[in-house]
Amino acid sequence: MKWTRSCVSLALIPLHKSLLYGTTGAAAYGLFFPLINTIDIAFAQGGQSFKFAWISDTHLYPKAVNKRFVEKATRAIQEVQAMNPPADFLIFGGDMAQLGDPVELQLGAELLKEITIKKVFIPGEHDWYLDMGATWNKMFGAAPWSFDYKGVRFVGLDTVSHAEDFWTSRKMSAKERMGNMATLDGTLGGAWAAVGAEQLKWLNSTLASWGKDKPVVIFSHNPLYEYFPPWNFWVRDWRGVHEILKPYSNVTNIHGHTHQVLYNEIGKLRSIGMLATSWPWPYAPEGVPILTRPMIRVDPGEPFDGVGWSIHTMDPTGHVENQYKMWRKEVFADAGVDSNAQDSHEVLSPRVADRI
Amino acid sequence: MANEKLRYPLITAGVGVLFFLAVDTEPAFAHKDKHTAEQLQAFEEVFMEQVKIGDLLFHGDPETQKRLNVNLSNTGTACAMCHPYTSDTHPHQFPKFQEQMNEFATLRNMINWCIEKPNEGEKIDPDGPAMKALEAYIYWSNRNSKLDPGRH
């Protein structure tokens, strides 16, 4: 496959339906949630329609430790490979491994061999903090990167390698460092998710040569807005990212890490959260974007429930349409009782045992 | 005969002892003193020690599991992986009918279900120290949640 630069001629700027419905519709379950799994109106012609697939958050342990995660990653991989017509490429969105072990990363690479289309990769924190990304970069290449394909500029960011050093002064081993970083609600890792000054500069210069009205898709492990910082459901320098993206009218961020159905819009930036193949996370205690139609509460006794992968369709206007491939009939909750989002009765506290 | 001779003096002595006890000793009370700040702090410390042990168990700490002789998971997974901050454990809603178990369940029942099913670990003593510590951590983390037993 040849990756070429081309551009989409836009007669009008696409107007997303959520801008028409506003937040009132999004606040009520099941009434007006046209944001995902719907076809947006095409205001312009000239671009090319194509599909790409997303898999992330497989969190693989060595096969002997956990077979279920292998089975679920395998199912996603087989389904991507079975797409007919095939996707144009696969983006793997990070957290391939659970504890950054080269054995885990090697297992992921072996499983992914089944997918024969082009594959691109960005890292997650679980892939990184055992050896500070050495194995990951060697096996899957370093981020950031960008490429142009059928009129869209695709960008892959590293949002995981910028943790403040909490390990040296505590004389932690590499495994202890990784263990802390692998704990979502751990306190020592702090606000580790970031794009970083150098990468922000790179992003700015990478986009500078791209038309302001042309489609841009940015892949990141963490969401590029502030959802729930204690679990790093953000990047700490998200304001800087938005400042750079402000002149661009058609930017979509597709991210992993949150293991749940998520949708948000800030200015002209759309953000779509992806499912994990490993396990779903409950919605954070606060900060769930009002534009998110919450996913259904899943059965913890069914390992394949609440997880999956995604197909993204780029329509001729340069608008990304996401289809969650969750392994169940119903993806979205129609009522609060079927969702764990916005439970006003539940008030939670941060953990204590790892605080200094 | 000798026993009969002794009977009356013994009864007299016994009555005397009872009279002495009734008149000269303080009655027993369950909470005879007001709590001191030191006592309250000690109670808090006992509780928070259990919370911390429960937190470590909940996050899969191998040393704590070994010390308490429990094996909460055989898949590398820990409770906190699905329940960061203990979210979605809903201790304030128990006891309730629990769909997965198809029975009226307590929080302890649910903890053991999670250990056995998703974690593929080994069920723990429902009244043992590991269960008490897990329960302490989950309740502590949810201490500001609204008590609402039976709610799904």
Side-chain angles (χ1 to χ4, degrees):
Chain A
M1 184 181 297
K2 190 181 176 187
W3 298 82
T4 57
R5 286 175 184 247
S6 62
C7 69
V8 181
S9 170
L10 296 179
L12 288 168
I13 296 168
L15 182 64
H16 195 274
K17 285 180 184 176
S18 63
L19 298 175
L20 301 175
Y21 290 123
T23 55
T24 307
Y29 288 94
L31 293 177
F32 302 108
F33 289 110
L35 309 174
I36 303 168
N37 289 347
T38 60
I39 299 170
D40 273 25
I41 300 163
F43 287 98
Q45 297 297 323
Q48 298 177 59
S49 182
F50 62 94
K51 293 180 191 295
F52 58 94
W54 169 290
I55 297 176
S56 73
D57 298 278
T58 50
H59 291 270
L60 296 168
Y61 289 92
K63 205 181 269 186
V65 176
N66 189 315
K67 288 188 179 65
R68 281 183 183 172
F69 287 1
V70 176
E71 288 165 2
K72 290 188 271 189
T74 301
R75 180 169 173 178
I77 286 165
Q78 289 173 343
E79 289 178 2
V80 169
Q81 180 60 18
M83 281 175 67
N84 187 17
D88 284 16
F89 66 91
L90 169 82
I91 162 71
F92 189 93
D95 283 355
M96 183 182 292
Q98 171 62 12
L99 295 171
D101 189 331
V103 173
E104 298 167 349
L105 294 171
Q106 192 59 47
L107 173 60
E110 285 295 321
L111 297 176
L112 284 162
K113 275 183 184 170
E114 189 168 342
I115 295 178
T116 54
I117 56 174
K118 180 183 174 74
K119 293 172 283 237
V120 291
F121 298 84
I122 53 171
E125 78 278 12
H126 288 256
D127 305 315
W128 198 265
Y129 282 91
L130 186 67
D131 60 9
M132 305 306 283
T135 305
W136 175 270
N137 282 347
K138 193 175 165 189
M139 291 180 71
F140 304 106
W145 44 255
S146 76
F147 63 83
D148 299 340
Y149 183 68
K150 293 187 177 176
V152 181
R153 180 153 290 184
F154 288 96
V155 173
L157 295 178
D158 156 23
T159 56
V160 300
S161 69
H162 296 88
E164 296 293 328
D165 182 351
F166 62 86
W167 50 88
T168 303
S169 63
R170 292 180 173 88
K171 297 183 169 52
M172 283 186 178
S173 68
K175 278 190 177 178
E176 288 170 328
R177 175 179 63 209
M178 181 71 253
N180 276 283
M181 289 300 293
T183 304
L184 184 79
D185 62 354
T187 55
L188 295 189
W192 53 259
V195 175
E198 196 180 328
Q199 201 173 202
L200 283 173
K201 202 172 160 187
W202 174 88
L203 180 63
N204 195 34
S205 65
T206 297
L207 295 180
S209 61
W210 196 243
K212 301 293 184 282
D213 58 349
K214 291 182 182 175
V216 177
V217 175
I218 301 178
F219 300 122
S220 58
H221 184 64
N222 303 74
L224 299 178
Y225 63 94
E226 183 175 332
Y227 166 9
F228 191 64
W231 298 351
N232 281 280
F233 284 8
W234 75 336
V235 288
R236 63 178 184 251
D237 45 5
W238 62 271
R239 287 181 182 84
V241 178
H242 289 219
E243 194 60 32
I244 289 168
L245 298 178
K246 200 185 279 180
Y248 300 90
S249 62
N250 185 358
V251 186
T252 305
N253 171 224
I254 302 172
H255 67 82
H257 187 62
T258 48
H259 298 206
Q260 60 196 225
V261 167
L262 269 181
Y263 183 84
N264 200 11
E265 291 181 10
I266 298 177
K268 290 165 188 161
L269 171 66
R270 302 171 71 221
S271 298
I272 312 174
M274 296 288 96
L275 304 173
T277 64
S278 50
W279 75 87
W281 261 325
Y283 286 103
E286 58 189 29
V288 179
I290 199 164
L291 292 175
T292 290
R293 182 182 181 185
M295 65 186 270
I296 199 160
R297 200 167 162 188
V298 300
D299 180 356
E302 169 48 67
F304 285 85
D305 199 1
V307 293
W309 56 287
S310 257
I311 295 175
H312 297 280
T313 304
M314 181 67 70
D315 77 14
T317 71
H319 183 85
V320 181
E321 197 61 39
N322 169 47
Q323 183 185 5
Y324 288 116
K325 303 295 286 183
M326 194 187 278
W327 295 316
R328 60 167 14 260
K329 193 176 163 190
E330 292 171 309
V331 174
F332 302 103
D334 293 324
V337 71
D338 289 319
S339 165
N340 67 13
Q342 301 159 355
D343 179 359
S344 59
H345 291 200
E346 184 184 58
V347 182
L348 302 167
S349 301
R351 65 176 306 207
V352 284
D354 68 344
R355 287 190 220 161
I356 301 298
Chain B
M1 289 299 287
N3 286 344
E4 282 188 12
K5 283 180 182 176
L6 283 171
R7 182 181 297 166
Y8 293 108
L10 283 174
I11 290 170
T12 305
V15 170
V17 167
L18 287 173
F19 180 76
F20 176 80
L21 288 172
V23 172
D24 288 347
T25 60
E26 292 283 333
F29 291 104
H31 297 288
K32 54 186 180 295
D33 296 320
K34 288 182 179 174
H35 290 110
T36 64
E38 291 75 21
Q39 270 182 313
L40 294 176
Q41 189 183 340
F43 297 160
E44 174 73 6
E45 283 171 4
V46 167
F47 174 66
M48 287 310 294
E49 180 62 22
Q50 292 304 308
V51 169
K52 286 174 188 166
I53 294 168
D55 180 335
L56 291 169
L57 289 172
F58 199 80
H59 287 80
D61 183 59
E63 284 175 18
T64 310
Q65 291 188 66
K66 193 176 173 186
R67 185 164 61 79
L68 294 177
N69 196 28
V70 292
N71 179 16
L72 304 181
S73 173
N74 280 312
T75 57
T77 52
C79 312
M81 285 168 67
C82 290
H83 301 284
Y85 285 7
T86 73
S87 57
D88 221 16
T89 56
H90 298 150
H92 52 292
Q93 294 179 3
F94 285 94
K96 64 174 176 177
F97 178 78
Q98 190 65 39
E99 274 177 302
Q100 289 81 14
M101 301 160 69
N102 196 30
E103 65 179 36
F104 185 67
T106 64
L107 178 62
R108 292 183 181 196
N109 297 145
M110 192 65 213
I111 290 170
N112 259 335
W113 183 90
C114 276
I115 290 169
E116 278 195 311
K117 304 292 180 185
N119 274 7
E120 298 181 48
E122 290 152 27
K123 196 173 172 177
I124 60 177
D125 178 356
D127 296 316
M131 181 64 87
K132 286 179 182 173
L134 281 167
E135 192 180 54
Y137 174 58
I138 294 169
Y139 274 121
W140 172 83
S141 188
N142 282 270
R143 65 195 179 282
N144 294 315
S145 296
K146 182 184 170 188
L147 190 62
D148 200 0
R151 177 171 175 254
H152 178 73

